[in-house]
Amino acid sequence: MADDDIDQGISLADAAEEVERLTIRINEARDAYYERDTTIISDAEYDELMHRLEAIERAYPQLQSQDSPTLTVGGRGETTLFAPVEHAERMLSLDNVFSADELAEWANRAQAAAGRAVHWLCELKIDGLAVNLRYEHGRLVSAATRGDGRVGEDVTENIRHIQSIPTRLAGSGHPPLVEVRGEVFFPVAAFDELNAKQAAAGEREFANPRNAASGSLRQKAEGKNAAQLELMRDRLGRLRMLVHGIGAWANPPVQAQSEIYELLSGWGLPTSSHARVLDSVAGVQEFVAYHGEHRHAVEHEIDGIVVKIDELALHDELGATSRAPRWAIAYKYPPEQVNTKLLDIVVSVGRTGRATPFAVMEPVRVAGSVVRQATLHNQDVVKAKGVLIGDTVVLRKAGDVIPEVLGPVVELRDGTERPFVMPQECPECGTTLRPMKAGDIDLRCPNARSCPAQVRGRVEHIGSRGALDIEALGEVSAAALTHPAVPAEPPLSTEAGLFELTVAELFPIEVVVRDVETGLPRLDDDGTPAYRAPFRRLRRRSGRDADPAFDPDSPEFRGDERHVPSKAAYELVANLEAAKTKPLWRILVALNIRHVGPVAARALADHFGSLEAIRAATDAELAEVEGVGPTIAESLREWFAIEWHLEIVERWAASGVQFATPGHPGPGAAAAAGGVLAGITVVATGSLEGYSREGAQEAIIAAGGKAASSVSKQTDFVAAGPGAGSKLAKAEALGIRVIDAAQFARLVTEGPAALDA
DNA sequence: CACCCTCGAGTTCA
DNA sequence: CTCGAGGGTG
């Protein structure tokens, strides 16, 4: 990859500079329009500036200031100016903190300034659009966006379509003038539906609910046909609003902010049900942590928590700076969706030969960890997402774990981006890629026997937990054995020789050291790539690292030192030796037969007792095994028909690998029925005290039960420990009995009846 | 023909 | 751990 590939797009520093330029220019145009009733630039020009600013801020949210012009008009598409409305009282913004510590600091400072104990009103910070409602004698007379805080834009007509906002306040005793401040938002649940409609109508989809809210509120009826008007009303009807403050009412008959909410609620205005008054800073931090964990449990998007001092008397005492009150703060959660640069799209080949394109991105922190790669699945997905190499892309973590590229920020393209072209050849061995079956989207490398990526993948799979569970054979060793830097001829060209490995063969292996972060070879001081020999170590006769086991009479040393095989080398050979007699099903999984994973392998091994019996079985005999049908039968038959697969079996057998279960009565033997869990399906999730992940499964099977991997209606028990996630949630949703580790221990030893005893 | 389930892949973390 | 794909079963 050439350097200029990386230099595309816009750097953070350039972006910051441009944001400043754009902001000045837009504010000049606004001042002219709002204050002097003149225009200094055309609507089109204005729109262009706004779009550009929006685009940059979306890519670099940290550059968006509280009084950015986009916070008043955040949407896109319809950025032409709305009529100006002056707020009766200035709408301030809030200062931000970004960590629990900063929040505590602010609270302690505020409390010290107040000189007495205070109550904290905590509420969810809705990621929407700030709007000011002006009520005169209980009647809604205008609604305006925040604007620059002093003057906003008139959106009264559109606001009237939002059902939850009353045009006349309930109750009596309304002041001659009061401003009600709140947040207009698009409910998350309705958002996907909206985007589907947008797509169907040929309109652009919205990047997030907040843009949808802003875009919806800023639509204009003029020039729309009946269908478009319908769509516009539909969108406005889905908007919701929650209010959280008042303005321009000199002496409200209350002492606390929380009482204001009660008052507003009594008038028929929608207030949030999530606000809480707390009396300690620790409680505030707990509130912040709780909602950080349950961000998606609310109907709207949350970008943080707002903490206000509840006592109104203190609001007056503490006052405000020119932009923000001193009695409130916004805590911002780390973003779950960020933007970063798509540096390249690279294709990797897995153990099955499937060629998978993945995104290589500028490292970026999202939802608590640094991400630099994300899968793009296949060429169709790349096309569907519409990303180009060099694009700024939106990245999130699906289920808070798996990084996912959502799509490009089209506005930030500068013309140097280029489309991804799926390579015709395997990136590792050069063989022409092709679909395995007609109509398959996935391309595969057909060179299964000697494609380095596939051999490496298969060797790694053999060592994995679901197969032979060889501790010393992981990703790194698999790579070292199949293509080391030294020697030129790797110890393994296929997995056939795996069990013939000796310490002497491992000894000379050297691998290139790669940087954990970049994946590029690390260079020594002299500029040559650094090498590491994982299977040997230095033994010294004397000095600081003197080796007490050193035998000075050994003929192998040169001078003061010599190399000896490392512990890892002996361990790997010993692990392999031990693996030869592992249960037949593990050996079956290690053979890398398509569709034969741990579950199918267990069933086959139990039924047939030996690889030879499986091989000799007809399709009909295979299909007798539960969980085995025509596809697995065919897959087995195809596997045994390939010459080099048989060579694997022969050489492994010659090395002592056990392809039969000792004492097995032979094919068709009835599965050993019985056990306390016969006919019972159990799912284990989270960490169960006293059991490893594997151990829990073994315990279920040993008791004659079925250890399923996912929860369904067929599941009888879900054993859940700390850290249980979606499976526990699903069990609760389906009303399946959930048990803890202690109950699980009783279940697998005494059976289900013991639980109720 | 619905479900329900397993497989396989990718990813990050401790 | 999660997702999509596709197999197996009732």
Side-chain angles (χ1 to χ4, degrees):
Chain A
M1 189 175 34
D3 270 358
D4 47 314
D5 284 347
I6 302 174
D7 287 344
Q8 289 168 5
I10 180 169
S11 75
L12 182 61
D14 289 349
E17 212 172 282
E18 197 174 345
V19 164
E20 196 176 331
R21 269 205 315 275
L22 288 165
T23 304
I24 291 171
R25 186 88 182 122
I26 290 167
N27 284 337
E28 280 171 2
R30 285 187 172 187
D31 283 351
Y33 180 83
Y34 288 137
E35 316 253 330
R36 303 195 296 277
D37 270 343
T38 57
T39 50
I40 54 171
I41 57 172
S42 71
D43 271 11
E45 232 177 301
Y46 178 85
D47 285 356
E48 201 185 310
L49 295 175
M50 282 297 297
H51 279 140
R52 180 73 186 159
L53 182 57
E54 271 173 43
I56 298 174
E57 286 181 345
R58 221 170 309 143
Y60 301 101
Q62 67 269 40
L63 294 179
Q64 186 176 46
S65 66
Q66 280 282 336
D67 44 13
S68 163
T70 57
L71 284 177
T72 68
V73 282
R76 62 185 140 172
E78 308 189 46
T79 37
T80 40
L81 300 163
F82 278 60
V85 176
E86 191 168 341
H87 306 310
E89 184 183 331
R90 205 178 133 82
M91 286 176 84
L92 297 174
S93 49
L94 292 174
D95 285 329
N96 294 313
V97 291
F98 298 92
S99 71
D101 287 347
E102 282 178 90
L103 179 62
E105 252 172 60
W106 172 84
N108 291 330
R109 252 199 334 266
Q111 180 142 341
R116 53 192 142 124
V118 301
H119 290 89
W120 308 103
L121 174 60
C122 300
E123 42 197 272
L124 307 186
K125 188 169 185 301
I126 301 169
D127 196 11
L129 195 66
V131 166
N132 186 33
L133 308 171
R134 181 181 176 120
Y135 286 92
E136 292 180 9
H137 300 286
R139 284 169 183 274
L140 177 68
V141 296
S142 78
T145 62
R146 199 177 75 95
D148 62 3
R150 217 174 52 71
V151 178
E153 295 172 297
D154 187 351
V155 290
T156 315
E157 281 320 300
N158 284 347
I159 283 285
R160 288 187 194 278
H161 285 95
I162 304 180
Q163 274 112 27
S164 53
I165 301 177
T167 47
R168 294 185 79 151
L169 298 179
S172 57
H174 308 121
L177 168 67
V178 62
E179 288 185 325
V180 179
R181 275 81 190 263
E183 202 79 6
V184 169
F185 61 93
F186 212 98
V188 179
F191 174 69
D192 292 334
E193 221 174 292
L194 169 75
N195 263 352
K197 274 198 184 160
Q198 289 287 112
E203 304 272 328
R204 254 189 69 190
E205 293 178 33
F206 291 99
N208 54 53
R210 174 215 167 119
N211 282 0
S214 149
S216 301
L217 202 56
R218 304 198 69 264
Q219 300 172 97
K220 279 188 165 170
E222 297 152 29
K224 282 200 159 66
N225 63 31
Q228 287 171 322
L229 271 178
E230 179 58 33
L231 194 64
M232 169 174 160
R233 296 222 179 85
D234 177 65
R235 275 168 60 184
L236 287 169
R238 289 165 194 269
L239 287 176
R240 295 205 26 216
M241 183 172 185
L242 288 173
V243 302
H244 54 57
I246 57 168
W249 188 8
N251 286 302
V254 288
Q255 266 88 57
Q257 181 76 11
S258 52
E259 290 170 25
I260 289 180
Y261 294 174
E262 283 164 30
L263 194 65
L264 293 176
S265 182
W267 287 349
L269 287 158
T271 52
S272 174
S273 58
H274 301 288
R276 294 283 178 275
V277 178
L278 302 166
D279 54 15
S280 73
V281 175
V284 171
Q285 285 177 312
E286 229 170 84
F287 185 91
V288 165
Y290 178 84
H291 285 287
E293 297 243 324
H294 300 85
R295 269 170 95 167
H296 305 292
V298 186
E299 67 272 24
H300 51 73
E301 293 223 315
I302 299 169
D303 63 344
I305 298 292
V306 176
V307 182
K308 296 171 180 167
I309 291 179
D310 202 30
E311 289 84 355
L312 290 180
L314 287 172
H315 292 196
D316 293 336
E317 257 176 59
L318 294 170
T321 66
S322 62
R323 346 170 338 126
R326 291 199 185 88
W327 45 268
I329 197 85
Y331 166 85
K332 292 259 203 155
Y333 288 119
E336 294 189 318
Q337 220 180 65
V338 297
N339 289 52
T340 185
K341 204 68 186 311
L342 178 58
L343 302 176
D344 203 358
I345 295 177
V346 180
V347 171
S348 73
V349 173
R351 78 178 161 102
T352 63
R354 204 174 93 174
T356 310
F358 64 93
V360 178
M361 292 161 293
E362 211 153 78
V364 65
R365 199 170 179 82
V366 51
S369 61
V370 175
V371 172
R372 61 196 89 239
Q373 286 184 8
T375 177
L376 291 167
H377 304 290
N378 60 49
Q379 45 188 337
D380 280 17
V381 171
V382 177
K383 209 177 284 169
K385 291 194 187 282
V387 291
L388 303 179
I389 296 166
D391 264 336
T392 300
V393 293
V394 185
L395 179 76
R396 72 154 177 193
K397 287 227 209 135
D400 260 4
V401 180
I402 311 294
E404 179 188 6
V405 172
L406 291 176
V409 183
V410 177
E411 297 91 324
L412 280 185
R413 286 188 178 152
D414 63 5
T416 60
E417 299 79 11
R418 59 197 161 82
F420 166 71
V421 183
M422 189 72 185
Q424 299 294 299
E425 286 97 31
C426 172
E428 299 251 3
C429 73
T431 309
T432 303
L433 297 172
R434 59 179 171 82
M436 286 312 260
K437 292 198 304 276
D440 266 10
I441 294 165
D442 290 341
L443 295 183
R444 300 191 118 93
C445 167
N447 180 19
R449 177 174 187 178
S450 45
C451 172
Q454 295 184 61
V455 176
R456 178 180 1 117
R458 290 199 302 267
V459 170
E460 193 182 326
H461 175 69
I462 292 169
S464 71
R465 262 211 297 258
L468 287 175
D469 195 10
I470 299 171
E471 209 178 315
L473 186 57
E475 192 184 340
V476 179
S477 323
L481 293 171
T482 54
H483 31 232
V486 180
E489 202 58 38
L492 294 181
S493 57
T494 79
E495 62 268 47
L498 182 64
F499 292 96
E500 296 159 17
L501 286 174
T502 59
V503 170
E505 273 177 295
L506 298 176
F507 187 78
I509 291 176
E510 286 179 29
V511 294
V512 174
V513 181
R514 287 177 186 279
D515 190 286
V516 200
E517 293 194 359
T518 62
L520 297 172
R522 190 178 299 165
L523 300 182
D524 270 340
D525 295 341
D526 59 1
T528 57
Y531 287 84
R532 203 174 69 86
F535 295 113
R536 60 175 193 256
R537 68 182 179 91
L538 207 54
R539 184 182 258 201
R540 285 182 202 279
R541 190 208 299 260
S542 58
R544 211 176 50 122
D545 302 319
D547 189 331
F550 186 82
D551 170 12
D553 298 325
S554 164
E556 294 170 41
F557 70 87
R558 290 189 301 276
D560 189 46
E561 61 189 39
R562 63 172 171 153
H563 285 280
V564 294
S566 66
K567 199 171 155 200
Y570 292 113
E571 252 168 18
L572 178 54
V573 172
N575 284 171
L576 286 168
E577 185 59 35
K580 291 175 185 172
T581 51
K582 289 209 174 178
L584 176 60
W585 69 267
R586 290 190 174 275
I587 311 278
L588 281 176
V589 175
L591 289 174
N592 282 291
I593 303 169
R594 288 269 265 157
H595 301 126
V596 180
V599 175
R602 244 187 236 267
L604 287 164
D606 285 350
H607 188 90
F608 290 102
S610 72
L611 186 72
E612 204 37 59
I614 294 169
R615 187 183 169 187
T618 63
D619 279 11
E621 284 164 340
L622 288 168
E624 279 172 31
V625 180
E626 175 159 354
V628 177
T631 312
I632 292 182
E634 189 188 347
S635 174
L636 284 162
R637 197 157 24 75
E638 281 176 3
W639 193 87
F640 283 116
I642 291 170
E643 190 64 33
W644 63 270
H645 288 165
L646 299 178
E647 188 200 330
I648 297 172
V649 178
E650 279 159 24
R651 287 178 64 183
W652 285 14
S655 307
V657 174
Q658 290 286 323
F659 282 103
T661 306
H664 192 282
V676 292
L677 286 183
I680 305 281
T681 300
V682 186
V683 174
T685 180
S687 51
L688 291 166
E689 206 184 329
Y691 294 89
S692 66
R693 196 166 289 275
E694 296 274 294
Q697 307 227 327
E698 290 299 336
I700 297 163
I701 292 163
K706 195 171 163 198
S709 58
S710 56
V711 178
S712 72
K713 276 187 282 188
Q714 316 300 313
T715 311
D716 295 294
F717 295 97
V718 172
S726 63
K727 286 178 197 171
L728 176 57
K730 189 160 182 200
E732 280 164 358
L734 291 173
I736 288 159
R737 183 154 180 196
V738 178
I739 57 175
D740 63 20
Q743 288 173 307
F744 176 74
R746 209 134 21 100
L747 179 70
V748 295
T749 48
E750 298 167 51
L755 292 182
D756 300 312

